[in-house]
């Protein structure tokens, strides 16, 4: 089972995925102003590929942005693709 933890330090944030207490991937973002987050990196670690972890991280970021009333600027190509697919 995948668990996702959200951490914020200043204007930077991370969503970290864990599978069975082992870190499996990370998504990072920067809050560029009061209304915008910029997703700059999504990574699934070696050995955890193909399990939907990257997608789960981006979806967690999307839910966070929705809850907080933030707009996402997806600089990360993977995040951009996941967001685009979810809008269709």
């Amino acid at each position: 089972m995948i668990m996702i933890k959200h951490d914020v330090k200043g204007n930077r944030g991370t969503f970290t995925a864990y599978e069975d207490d082992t870190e499996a991937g990370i998504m990072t973002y920067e809050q560029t102003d009061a209304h915008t987050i910029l997703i700059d990196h999504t990574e699934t670690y070696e050995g955890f590929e193909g399990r939907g972890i990257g997608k789960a991280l981006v979806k967690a970021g999307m839910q966070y942005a929705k809850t907080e009333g933030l707009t996402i600027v997806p600089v990360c190509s993977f995040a951009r693709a996941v967001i685009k697919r979810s809008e269709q």
Side-chain angles (χ1 to χ4, degrees):
M1 184 168 137
I2 298 170
M3 182 188 84
I4 297 178
K5 181 180 175 193
H6 182 208
D7 290 304
V8 179
K9 292 181 181 166
N11 68 333
R12 301 283 308 166
T14 59
F15 285 89
T16 307
Y18 296 87
E19 186 173 85
D20 299 326
D21 297 324
T22 302
E23 195 169 317
I26 192 166
M27 183 188 79
T28 61
Y29 70 88
E30 177 182 3
Q31 186 155 357
T32 57
D33 61 38
H35 307 287
T36 309
I37 61 171
L38 184 145
I39 297 176
D40 54 9
H41 182 71
T42 307
E43 180 178 358
T44 299
Y45 299 144
E46 187 175 335
F48 294 96
E49 302 93 340
R51 299 182 193 181
I53 291 170
K55 183 177 179 180
L57 288 165
V58 174
K59 294 277 187 175
M62 290 169 65
Q63 183 59 47
Y64 168 72
K66 181 179 178 180
T67 300
E68 297 297 318
L70 300 169
T71 300
I72 296 175
V73 176
V75 174
C76 166
S77 60
F78 180 81
R80 187 171 38 254
V82 170
I83 292 168
K84 183 176 181 178
R85 276 185 250 134
S86 72
E87 292 172 348
Q88 296 176 352

